Amino acid sequence: MEINVIPDLKRVAFVGNYLPRHCGIATFTTDLCEAFTAQFPHVQTMALAMNDRPEGYAYPEKVRYEIRQNDLYDYERAANFLNQHEVGAICLQHEYGIYGGDAGRYVLTLLRNVSAPVITTLHTVLEKPDPEQFRVLRQVAELSNRAVVMSERSADQLHDVYGIPHQKIDIIPHGIHDIPFLDPGFHKDKFGAEGRTVILTFGLLSRNKGIEYVLDALPDVVKEYPNLLYLVLGATHPQVLAQEGEQYRESLQERVRQLGLENNVMFHNEFTSLQDLKEYIGAADIYITPYLDREQIVSGTLAYTVGAGKAVISTPYRYAEELLREGRGILVPFRDSKSIAEQILYLLKNEAERNAMRKQAYLYGRDMIWPTVARRYMETFEKARKQNAQAVYPIPVTGSVENSIERLPTLKLDHIFRLTDGTGMLQHAVFSVPNYNEGYTTDDNARALIVSVQLEETRSQPGVEDEKHTLTQGLELGYRYLAFLWHAFNPETKRFRNFMSYDRRWLEETGSEDSHGRALWALGTVMGRSRREGLRGTAGRLFERAISTAIEFKNPRAWAFTLLGTHRYLRRHPGDRAVAQVQNTLAQRLLQMYRDNYTPEWPWFENEVTYCNPALSQVLIRYGHANNDSEALAVGIESLGWLLKIQHSDQGWIMPIGSQGFYRKRGEPAYFDQQPVEVYSLVSACLEAFRVSKDWAWYTHARESFEWFFGRNALNLPVYDHVTGGCRDGLHIDRLNENQGAESTLAFLQSFLEMRQFELELPSQQHDRERRATSDLLADHSPKAT
């Protein structure tokens, strides 16, 4: 089953070093995060920064979490933080030296514990790694949904050396700031270099930079161009500074004195601001990267200067070989001062060739500017999220039919008690804590009233002695929920209000048609199934006042909820002609809607499959069976079978139509976010179909739907929380919605209580006989996904 519609990306976390820490990864992470935020302001962004010292750094507000590099437990805590904040994508910067453990293996703990899709940018892909480097990088790539590299050579090495499939790899160039294509003389006066030829090298200083080979080349150049200035810009790398201080810089300065170049070489020992860096680059006539490490697969400094349209000379490390081909720069051998001198002189003497090189480089760099790179990352994020949603999880089929009653968990009402106060059922929760800010709804108090009636029936079942106290407490809450409905009804408008604030103020004069229909469903359930006379008397009076308004409704789901209530009511008062007339009118409207919209490929009531869809089928199955209406019964069975077909995965679990887009005719179904109320509707409708048809395939579908709550779903994660007794609010495309609101918890309890009641109703001998035919019936009747 392919997932074609996924919800919009709402939150992205960037993990790596971050400014003001002085290193290339910090600069890259900061620039990427800021560029992405600028391009996609509707997406919330945050950063998780690696700390290599106890005191940390003075990070900006964008950094929400700090990870101590050498504390393994910090990586697990960071994963929990990301899961708690429900990020939609994690963009990880990988370099061996910034994470703790051998070859940076601590980062694997973070990757194994996050629920969101991971997109990892690999800043180093070694051609000849040692065993531990190989193991760590391979696992990082395997635990990531996408791997980003900055060169074709890196992509090939990632595949050939580490075995990562090409289809998992994206090549996105190193981002650069957009520097205008200016004459170098424009900025030279700011550095006292007006009238001079400027050669530039910049970046954090360390011994692998090869600066000494440029210094050794300069005497031959200065002979012909005595006004030449070689500017070495950048502070010493913090790790080098910690290990050996300024020994390397001081050795270079001594070399300058020995070569007599004091007037031609200038060192700027500073970590330069972005604005100053742009001006330094703008002032350069030639840029040189004399690096000594052939395996270097990325260089931010080289990317910046190529994108700025500079004439570049470089040693042939991996990244330079790729970036400078096709006339965008000149390569010289490693540790070859003579070649460096020759190429500097060539460029200074051939202005036309130098300008042509600059133009080639600048045009190539247009695809490297940060806004463009940020959009490329968004494309990769979306690919990762879609692939994450389509991942197939091997979920074993649970036990046989005869053991299903033993598999049901113990009844647990803790979260219902937690969500209920003196007013009624609170609407939402933050995780498992009631959220007072969202107040109450008639919708949820109606659902809760139905559960109270189900608990009343459960108390009379055999084998519930251990649950008697819990059941009694739950029954008492029914009075509170009915009192809420009584207060919600506005006798002037003959409509229920729906939303109430926590301070008991109604937020609307008239609620939705759905909330009115659900209230009638609950009242009818009390009338038809409760033995408590006080509840029945109040419910009957309120039902009589509210039922006539239902005829005016336009929403077919409000009709369906009302019909669920009238069906229960008429079981106790079958002679009530007024209620029977409402039932007949609404059922016939549903039938006509089905006739108007039906095609063989789309046997449905509307041009869109939205929410609580099985309820439409269920009410016609009930109506048709109770009233000997063969058309209504056939429509109910056919439409429910079609719903199962489009919501059934090849692997055997259900995929409820999701709230992020639904399913329009001739469109593609949205399978996320999946919500528990949809699953309950399917459980209840399938049980209804079984009661009418005695076809065991329907029971199997009800059981499969119910098992969605326990992890037989697209994410292989339990939605029901056996610790709290609550139910999580659903499945996002890549994680659980960890909040446990009233609708979700009540949907689970309704499903649980209906399944338990149903299985106790089955005569054991019929159960054994018909169970043996289940597999044959499934083969003939079970809807399958296309």
Side-chain angles (χ1 to χ4, degrees):
M1 179 177 290
E2 184 177 358
I3 310 303
N4 295 296
V5 182
I6 59 176
D8 292 339
L9 181 61
K10 297 179 181 178
R11 186 176 292 120
V12 176
F14 294 85
V15 182
N17 296 351
Y18 210 89
L19 293 178
R21 181 172 173 177
H22 291 175
C23 75
I25 300 295
T27 301
F28 182 91
T29 309
T30 305
D31 287 345
L32 175 57
C33 182
E34 291 181 351
F36 187 89
T37 303
Q39 286 297 301
F40 304 99
H42 62 283
V43 180
Q44 184 180 351
T45 55
M46 67 170 73
L48 280 72
M50 301 302 305
N51 280 339
D52 62 344
R53 62 187 191 184
E55 65 272 23
Y57 298 88
Y59 293 117
E61 289 185 1
K62 185 68 70 177
V63 175
R64 289 291 312 280
Y65 199 90
E66 299 178 38
I67 304 172
R68 290 169 292 185
Q69 176 177 325
N70 295 313
D71 187 332
L72 177 60
Y73 293 105
D74 263 15
Y75 294 82
E76 183 175 357
R77 297 182 188 108
N80 292 335
F81 175 85
L82 290 168
N83 295 338
Q84 178 180 333
H85 284 76
E86 297 184 344
V87 297
I90 298 168
C91 184
L92 179 86
Q93 307 309 310
H94 181 264
E95 180 63 84
Y96 288 110
I98 71 173
Y99 301 112
D102 294 342
R105 63 181 175 83
Y106 284 4
V107 74
L108 299 176
T109 297
L110 185 148
L111 295 178
R112 292 189 184 108
N113 286 281
V114 293
S115 57
V118 177
I119 301 87
T120 297
T121 302
L122 299 168
H123 292 260
T124 295
V125 182
L126 297 174
E127 186 174 22
K128 297 178 180 179
D130 65 36
E132 188 65 7
Q133 289 171 332
F134 173 85
R135 186 187 71 84
V136 170
L137 186 59
R138 181 181 172 86
Q139 288 193 40
V140 166
E142 289 176 343
L143 290 167
S144 303
N145 297 83
R146 307 291 302 175
V148 176
V149 293
M150 303 182 203
S151 66
E152 294 175 5
R153 179 62 179 264
S154 298
D156 291 339
Q157 286 185 189
L158 194 57
H159 175 267
D160 297 341
V161 178
Y162 299 88
I164 305 304
H166 278 300
Q167 58 267 29
K168 191 176 184 177
I169 304 170
D170 292 315
I171 302 174
I172 303 178
H174 193 297
I176 62 171
H177 297 283
D178 194 2
I179 300 175
F181 189 80
L182 298 173
D183 185 279
F186 186 81
H187 288 298
K188 288 182 179 180
D189 60 314
K190 295 184 179 181
F191 311 111
E194 57 271 30
R196 304 186 69 175
T197 299
V198 175
I199 299 175
L200 175 67
T201 294
F202 79 87
L204 294 174
L205 211 60
S206 62
R207 292 187 184 275
N208 66 349
K209 298 297 185 181
I211 305 297
E212 59 270 27
Y213 295 98
V214 180
L215 297 179
D216 290 346
L218 289 182
D220 289 342
V221 179
V222 169
K223 288 178 184 177
E224 299 190 41
Y225 293 90
N227 70 340
L228 181 141
L229 175 64
Y230 179 40
L231 184 58
V232 181
L233 175 65
T236 299
H237 195 288
Q239 292 182 357
V240 174
L241 196 62
Q243 293 171 6
E244 62 177 54
E246 294 286 8
Q247 291 182 25
Y248 181 58
R249 181 184 301 276
E250 291 168 358
S251 70
L252 294 176
Q253 292 169 335
E254 177 60 27
R255 203 179 201 105
V256 168
R257 287 190 288 271
Q258 293 174 358
L259 294 170
L261 297 172
E262 292 92 335
N263 294 325
N264 301 99
V265 178
M266 183 182 299
F267 292 91
H268 279 273
N269 186 2
E270 60 183 272
F271 192 82
T272 314
S273 70
L274 176 60
Q275 183 57 41
D276 287 345
L277 179 60
K278 289 180 178 180
E279 293 175 354
Y280 276 119
I281 293 173
D285 296 283
I286 297 173
Y287 182 74
I288 297 182
T289 59
Y291 302 161
L292 306 180
D293 183 5
R294 178 179 292 276
E295 297 297 318
Q296 187 165 340
I297 63 165
V298 65
S299 168
T301 63
L302 183 62
Y304 288 169
T305 48
V306 167
K310 297 287 109 176
V312 177
I313 299 171
S314 177
T315 50
Y317 53 94
R318 303 300 187 196
Y319 187 62
E321 284 182 317
E322 191 166 315
L323 194 62
L324 299 183
R325 63 191 180 195
E326 299 178 356
R328 294 187 291 270
I330 294 175
L331 297 177
V332 296
F334 292 103
R335 297 177 172 85
D336 192 334
S337 298
K338 181 180 179 182
S339 293
I340 293 173
E342 289 173 352
Q343 297 306 322
I344 292 173
L345 290 169
Y346 171 79
L347 288 176
L348 293 179
K349 292 177 179 179
N350 294 276
E351 185 177 1
E353 285 83 351
R354 187 171 79 246
N355 288 335
M357 181 186 297
R358 290 187 62 205
K359 183 177 180 180
Q360 286 284 92
Y362 187 79
L363 293 175
Y364 183 80
R366 295 309 84 204
D367 290 333
M368 299 166 62
I369 59 174
W370 274 119
T372 301
V373 168
R375 290 192 291 271
R376 293 280 302 279
Y377 268 89
M378 174 60 102
E379 293 171 3
T380 293
F381 294 168
E382 294 298 352
K383 280 193 286 187
R385 296 174 70 230
K386 186 171 183 179
Q387 290 164 354
N388 195 57
Q390 292 172 343
V392 176
Y393 299 88
I395 302 176
V397 176
T398 56
S400 57
V401 174
E402 68 268 22
N403 292 325
S404 57
I405 183 66
E406 283 78 19
R407 294 199 314 274
L408 292 176
T410 302
L411 178 65
K412 192 178 182 71
L413 299 180
D414 298 38
H415 198 52
I416 291 295
F417 299 146
R418 194 176 295 122
L419 288 173
T420 303
D421 65 7
T423 301
M425 173 70 67
L426 288 154
Q427 180 181 191
H428 287 303
V430 180
F431 289 83
S432 58
V433 178
N435 186 351
Y436 294 160
N437 293 337
E438 301 298 330
Y440 316 83
T441 66
T442 293
D443 278 326
D444 291 328
N445 279 273
R447 294 183 179 105
L449 181 56
I450 293 172
V451 167
S452 175
V453 176
Q454 290 178 284
L455 293 173
E456 183 180 346
E457 295 172 332
T458 299
R459 193 169 63 167
S460 63
Q461 295 170 355
V464 296
E465 288 74 13
D466 293 341
E467 300 173 346
K468 287 285 188 182
H469 180 67
T470 298
L471 289 167
T472 300
Q473 288 181 297
L475 291 178
E476 285 300 311
L477 297 180
Y479 294 95
R480 210 167 299 173
Y481 305 139
L482 181 53
F484 187 96
L485 297 187
W486 181 273
H487 184 55
F489 187 70
N490 186 339
E492 295 180 1
T493 63
K494 295 185 178 181
R495 291 288 297 273
F496 287 93
R497 291 163 287 206
N498 192 19
F499 292 100
M500 176 191 274
S501 65
Y502 184 64
D503 59 1
R504 296 186 178 183
R505 288 182 298 105
W506 288 110
L507 302 179
E508 57 192 357
E509 285 302 313
T510 301
S512 65
E513 292 183 1
D514 279 3
S515 65
H516 194 108
R518 285 195 182 93
L520 289 170
W521 178 7
L523 296 171
T525 300
V526 172
M527 291 295 296
R529 296 171 63 177
S530 177
R531 296 180 180 180
R532 290 174 282 178
E533 297 221 0
L535 283 182
R536 287 210 313 268
T538 305
R541 187 174 298 180
L542 190 52
F543 187 89
E544 184 178 356
R545 293 178 179 180
I547 185 63
S548 61
T549 309
I551 291 291
E552 304 169 5
F553 292 163
K554 306 298 182 184
N555 186 337
R557 281 156 188 80
W559 303 344
F561 301 149
T562 301
L563 286 168
L564 289 168
T566 60
H567 174 80
R568 294 297 183 189
Y569 175 90
L570 289 170
R571 288 180 62 180
R572 184 170 294 274
H573 297 296
D576 191 327
R577 295 180 60 204
V579 174
Q581 181 60 42
V582 171
Q583 177 175 265
N584 292 335
T585 300
L586 297 182
Q588 292 304 318
R589 285 182 188 173
L590 266 181
L591 274 174
Q592 189 58 50
M593 178 176 279
Y594 186 83
R595 298 183 195 114
D596 293 343
N597 287 280
Y598 171 85
T599 66
E601 297 77 24
W602 189 266
W604 192 241
F605 301 85
E606 305 167 286
N607 286 325
E608 186 175 18
V609 180
T610 56
Y611 62 95
C612 294
N613 304 296
L616 305 184
S617 304
Q618 181 179 6
V619 295
L620 288 184
I621 293 172
R622 277 188 182 177
Y623 177 81
H625 182 65
N627 294 277
N628 296 316
D629 187 328
S630 59
E631 182 188 8
L633 180 58
V635 166
I637 293 292
E638 180 180 30
S639 58
L640 183 59
W642 180 74
L643 274 181
L644 280 166
K645 180 179 179 180
I646 65 172
Q647 297 184 122
H648 197 277
S649 76
D650 295 332
Q651 292 74 31
W653 60 80
I654 64 163
M655 294 284 288
I657 296 299
S659 61
Q660 296 288 339
F662 298 126
Y663 181 18
R664 292 193 63 83
K665 190 175 183 178
R666 289 182 290 274
E668 296 290 343
Y671 286 112
F672 294 93
D673 298 340
Q674 296 180 18
Q675 299 188 341
V677 68
E678 305 302 322
V679 180
Y680 162 66
S681 296
L682 203 53
V683 169
S684 188
C686 288
L687 291 179
E688 195 74 44
F690 173 80
R691 288 188 180 98
V692 169
S693 68
K694 300 301 185 290
D695 182 341
W696 275 90
W698 291 113
Y699 168 73
T700 300
H701 293 310
R703 188 189 65 195
E704 289 174 347
S705 301
F706 184 55
E707 288 171 347
W708 179 91
F709 289 102
F710 302 99
R712 197 177 188 196
N713 54 48
L715 299 188
N716 196 16
L717 294 172
V719 186
Y720 171 66
D721 186 341
H722 68 91
V723 175
T724 67
C727 181
R728 299 172 178 92
D729 281 348
L731 299 182
H732 294 306
I733 193 170
D734 51 10
R735 66 190 183 281
L736 289 168
N737 182 335
E738 295 287 355
N739 296 330
Q740 298 178 14
E743 178 186 284
S744 304
T745 298
L746 292 165
F748 169 77
L749 282 171
Q750 286 180 277
S751 302
F752 170 83
L753 293 169
E754 284 199 28
M755 287 294 293
R756 187 154 86 167
Q757 177 68 29
F758 174 81
E759 295 191 352
L760 287 169
E761 290 173 358
L762 290 176
S764 59
Q765 65 274 17
Q766 178 187 3
H767 188 288
D768 291 338
R769 184 178 66 253
E770 301 221 44
R771 172 182 55 78
R772 291 191 291 269
T774 300
S775 58
D776 294 335
L777 286 167
L778 283 175
D780 293 336
H781 301 293
S782 178
K784 297 294 181 184
T786 53

